[in-house]
Amino acid sequence: MKAITVFPRSLTHLGTSNFNEKELNFRVIKINIVAWILIILGTGFGMTYWYYSRYPGILVATLLGSVLFGGVLYLNKKRKYQAAGVTLQSTINLSTLYFGSILSAAVDPIWLALFLLISCLSFVKVGRAQIWCLGVSAATLLFLEINRALHIFPPMPFSPEMLNLIYYCTAFTVLTLTSISLVTLVHYNAKLFHTINLRNQQLTALNKELHASNTRLEHQVKERTANLEKAVTAKNIYVRELTHELRTPLNAIYSIAQLKLLSNRDKAQADKKVDEDLFIACRNLQTLINNTQDKCKLDTGNVDEVKKESVLLYSWITNIVNIYQYFANEKRVKIELEVQDSFPTAIVEDSIKLTKIVNNILVNAIKFTRNHTSIFLRIYRDDTHWYIAVRDQGNGISPDRIATLFKEFTRTTINFAEGSGLGLNITHHLVRILGGTIQVRSEIDEGTEFVVSLPLVPFTGEIKSATIELRENNLISFEGKKILVVEDDIMTQRYLSLLLSKRGFSIMHADNGQEALLKAHNHPDAIILDMSLPGKSGKDVLMELKSNPALRHIPVIAASADTDETNIEEIMLEGASAYMIKPIDFHILIDVLVKNLLTGTLVRN
């Protein structure tokens, strides 16, 4: 019994495959079924017609049709599906043309038209082949109608009983094939609808699961983002507070280092070397603190706004060179400065960011240049931009290294101090913030040159001559001037006072804000005011000084370890003449005092 059911199934599934689309397998099965039915019905009816008519053409056509329908099954088995469909339709057309001509007296054209239309739509894939088959079918029906009217091929003479038999057999064949096509189509559509319904249910379940997963994921992302933001905030607060606390003792140490450098003229060479090493160590520590703070700002996107101001170029760049010459001396390296003759005396730029850029590039050049060589620092311009070029005489940088040069945490060393690996990364960001570019040119064994390009904006306002003429601020004397140092840290107060007294200042001290307000009535020529005072804050003291008509004219130089430029701007808006970030660089402080007092005279110490 099982063999009886398996055999027909294997015949109808000739050419089907699990790799085929369901629609293709459905059409193959349908063509196989129709081909088998046409073989059976065609052979049966054809032999019957031949038996009664004894016309040999019917026998030949019947056998040829069965062979061709068998060929359809063979083509499907070989998986030539398009050829099988066209062969089936062509054979049906030929059979219809032949039997419709000789049996025109008994065959209704309506049945033939319905038969050909269903076969075209059912057995041939939509496309050019189907259009071609429909055209051939239409031509076949047209010829049969013409032949019916003109008797080009006269119908065979059958008895009335035989004509009735032929009529009903033809109707049965057409209805059978039509029913098979419709039933299989309905069955296929039902399966397709069931499959679509299952897929929709699965898709709905997957969508619900995906929505739930997304909800969980969003919750986890929000939770982890919140935790990350808390961690970053806590880290930034810790870094800010730590660096702020580090700046206070560093201010005293840095002041001692500067004081020792200024007083080492008569010392032995070994003692001078100790003083220079102390100064270099302080500057390295200051650079590490500054880079750490800048990196935190870049990571959080809280970058200080660009604040343009007039920059006296020669004085600014000379101070930087003088400071970093101490670093270069360690390797017996000379920093050669060249400023283009046609360069403007003053430009408009963010001096704080500009100084950080040059500092980091110079430190990098000193690290990599060879001993007993020179570093060439050139400043020049064209019509729209100005350039800072720093070239060393080191071993050069390979092209693959240049590609990653500005990535963070590329660590290098200088003497006994190791860098944070942030300098060039921060420099790259700062240059972009200022609207410029930075390029690296390097040749192996020849050295490396960094070139910063920035938009050129010459300063067109009034320039004070006392500052322009400044070349060596260690020749400046403030003899007869009084200065009030308001500082609660005793070491900072002591060594800052020593530095200022060496320039001729008469020093007054105040440990808190209230004492500062009282001593301000002695009318000092300038006030250095710490912003982090106990009790009354430095900002409150500044506001009271500027609100007093008798004291508001006194230049107040704010000093603080706070590097937040928003806070700096607030202090400047309250009336401060300058803002010094601790540890205070004495060269920069002298420049600020010259600019504000305007009475500095050049003398030799």
Side-chain angles (χ1 to χ4, degrees):
M1 185 68 181
K2 183 177 181 180
I4 295 175
T5 58
V6 170
F7 180 70
R9 179 178 175 83
S10 64
L11 292 178
T12 57
H13 281 73
L14 286 173
T16 59
S17 171
N18 293 330
F19 299 103
N20 291 342
E21 297 178 359
K22 288 186 177 182
E23 181 184 358
L24 177 59
N25 280 337
F26 167 72
R27 188 169 65 252
V28 171
I29 293 172
K30 186 163 59 174
I31 288 175
N32 289 337
I33 292 173
V34 170
W36 278 112
I37 291 175
L38 287 175
I39 290 173
I40 295 170
L41 293 179
T43 303
F45 291 150
M47 296 300 292
T48 301
Y49 299 157
W50 172 75
Y51 177 78
Y52 284 104
S53 66
R54 295 295 176 177
Y55 184 64
I58 293 178
L59 178 62
V60 173
T62 299
L63 296 176
L64 180 61
S66 299
V67 171
L68 290 175
F69 289 132
V72 170
L73 297 172
Y74 177 78
L75 289 173
N76 269 344
K77 182 179 180 180
K78 293 297 183 180
R79 300 185 180 180
K80 297 181 179 180
Y81 307 120
Q82 186 77 353
V86 172
T87 302
L88 176 64
Q89 182 63 26
S90 299
T91 304
I92 291 174
N93 269 281
L94 291 173
S95 299
T96 302
L97 182 64
Y98 177 74
F99 287 105
S101 297
I102 66 175
L103 303 176
S104 58
V107 176
D108 192 336
I110 298 297
W111 292 112
L112 297 177
L114 178 63
F115 178 56
L116 291 177
L117 177 63
I118 291 174
S119 63
C120 282
L121 298 178
S122 300
F123 310 139
V124 181
K125 186 178 181 180
V126 175
R128 290 183 179 181
Q130 189 179 74
I131 295 173
W132 182 83
C133 289
L134 285 172
V136 173
S137 298
T140 300
L141 291 174
L142 179 62
F143 176 80
L144 290 176
E145 283 297 320
I146 294 172
N147 183 67
R148 186 184 177 116
L150 301 179
H151 298 290
I152 299 173
F153 295 100
M156 293 187 64
F158 285 107
S159 64
E161 294 79 8
M162 188 63 185
L163 290 176
N164 285 333
L165 176 63
I166 294 172
Y167 175 83
Y168 287 115
C169 287
T170 303
F172 175 78
T173 302
V174 172
L175 288 175
T176 299
L177 295 177
T178 302
S179 299
I180 291 172
S181 297
L182 292 177
V183 169
T184 53
L185 180 62
V186 171
H187 177 69
Y188 174 75
N189 287 339
K191 289 181 66 176
L192 182 62
F193 179 79
H194 179 69
T195 301
I196 292 173
N197 189 40
L198 286 178
R199 294 289 173 83
N200 285 338
Q201 291 177 2
Q202 292 173 354
L203 185 60
T204 301
L206 286 173
N207 283 336
K208 290 181 179 179
E209 184 178 350
L210 181 61
H211 179 71
S213 298
N214 285 340
T215 302
R216 290 193 301 268
L217 183 60
E218 288 177 4
H219 178 72
Q220 291 175 356
V221 168
K222 289 180 180 179
E223 183 179 358
R224 291 178 182 178
T225 301
N227 291 336
L228 180 60
E229 289 175 352
K230 290 179 181 178
V232 171
T233 302
K235 184 259 296 183
N236 288 337
I237 292 174
Y238 172 75
V239 170
R240 184 177 68 246
E241 294 300 323
L242 177 62
T243 53
H244 186 279
E245 292 301 320
L246 286 174
R247 285 182 186 274
T248 299
L250 178 60
N251 191 45
I253 300 171
Y254 190 52
S255 297
I256 294 171
Q258 294 182 90
L259 185 62
K260 290 173 72 66
L261 280 179
L262 292 174
S263 60
N264 72 355
R265 180 172 301 176
D266 300 325
K267 292 183 179 180
Q269 189 61 36
D271 293 333
K272 289 182 179 180
K273 184 64 174 63
V274 171
D275 294 343
E276 290 180 0
D277 285 347
L278 176 60
F279 178 77
I280 291 172
C282 290
R283 288 292 299 188
N284 277 332
L285 180 56
Q286 184 184 28
T287 300
L288 289 172
I289 292 173
N290 291 339
N291 285 343
T292 302
Q293 289 181 325
D294 289 339
K295 181 58 180 173
C296 287
K297 291 178 181 179
L298 291 173
D299 287 343
T300 58
N302 186 27
V303 182
D304 294 323
E305 295 181 1
V306 176
K307 295 180 176 62
K308 299 294 184 75
E309 60 182 354
S310 61
V311 178
L312 293 161
L313 187 94
Y314 192 86
S315 175
W316 164 74
I317 195 64
T318 301
N319 283 336
I320 293 177
V321 170
N322 289 340
I323 290 171
Y324 282 96
Q325 186 59 60
Y326 290 110
F327 290 84
N329 289 339
E330 181 71 16
K331 299 176 69 174
R332 300 295 186 268
V333 169
K334 175 66 175 175
I335 301 177
E336 303 283 354
L337 173 63
E338 178 187 345
V339 179
Q340 188 178 31
D341 292 337
S342 61
F343 204 91
T345 302
I347 60 173
V348 178
E349 193 51 271
D350 188 319
S351 62
I352 295 177
K353 293 181 176 61
L354 197 59
T355 300
K356 290 178 180 179
I357 291 170
V358 177
N359 288 351
N360 285 329
I361 296 177
L362 266 181
V363 167
N364 194 67
I366 295 170
K367 288 177 181 179
F368 288 102
T369 197
R370 296 186 181 95
N371 293 346
H372 304 283
T373 60
S374 293
I375 292 173
F376 301 94
L377 171 57
R378 296 187 302 122
I379 295 181
Y380 56 97
R381 59 165 291 182
D382 57 25
D383 293 336
T384 58
H385 289 76
W386 69 288
Y387 305 87
I388 306 169
V390 179
R391 179 167 61 88
D392 64 49
Q393 293 181 299
N395 295 325
I397 306 173
S398 60
D400 59 322
R401 177 82 186 282
I402 291 178
T404 60
L405 199 59
F406 295 106
K407 291 185 177 181
E408 59 188 2
F409 305 121
T410 303
R411 303 176 69 87
T412 54
T413 59
I414 172 175
N415 298 336
F416 48 82
E418 185 170 335
S420 63
L422 298 173
L424 289 179
N425 175 258
I426 292 171
T427 300
H428 183 256
H429 283 286
L430 293 177
V431 170
R432 291 178 58 188
I433 290 171
L434 294 181
T437 60
I438 182 169
Q439 294 180 336
V440 185
R441 304 165 185 166
S442 186
E443 294 183 15
I444 300 300
D445 297 327
E446 294 294 331
T448 302
E449 183 177 42
F450 287 83
V451 180
V452 175
S453 171
L454 296 168
L456 176 62
V457 182
F459 178 67
T460 57
E462 181 183 359
I463 302 173
K464 299 175 182 179
S465 61
T467 308
I468 296 172
E469 296 171 358
L470 181 62
R471 290 295 181 269
E472 295 285 347
N473 64 22
N474 62 351
L475 303 179
I476 297 296
S477 173
F478 296 90
E479 195 70 36
K481 296 298 180 182
K482 294 186 297 184
I483 191 166
L484 174 59
V485 178
V486 185
E487 174 63 63
D488 64 315
D489 182 71
I490 301 302
M491 285 194 298
T492 300
Q493 183 188 101
R494 178 186 303 125
Y495 292 108
L496 183 58
S497 298
L498 283 172
L499 284 167
L500 292 170
S501 64
K502 284 183 172 293
R503 296 309 171 95
F505 277 108
S506 296
I507 311 297
M508 296 185 293
H509 299 115
D511 297 330
N512 55 66
Q514 196 61 43
E515 185 180 359
L517 291 171
L518 291 174
K519 291 190 175 182
H521 288 280
N522 293 326
H523 298 286
D525 294 285
I527 299 174
I528 299 178
L529 177 60
D530 181 25
M531 291 290 102
S532 301
L533 295 173
K536 189 184 291 292
S537 69
K539 184 177 180 181
D540 292 336
V541 174
L542 176 63
M543 293 172 63
E544 291 193 32
L545 287 171
K546 293 304 174 182
S547 63
N548 189 327
L551 304 175
R552 67 175 56 173
H553 67 282
I554 303 174
V556 178
I557 301 170
S560 175
D562 187 358
T563 61
D564 189 286
E565 292 194 12
T566 301
N567 296 335
I568 295 175
E569 185 176 8
E570 289 180 2
I571 298 300
M572 296 300 292
L573 290 174
E574 293 296 339
S577 299
Y579 189 101
M580 300 291 296
I581 298 175
K582 293 182 177 180
I584 296 174
D585 190 299
F586 195 53
H587 290 82
I588 299 175
L589 176 60
I590 294 300
D591 278 352
V592 170
L593 290 170
V594 170
K595 182 178 179 181
N596 285 277
L597 299 182
L598 301 178
T599 56
T601 57
L602 294 177
V603 298
R604 294 195 177 275
N605 291 2

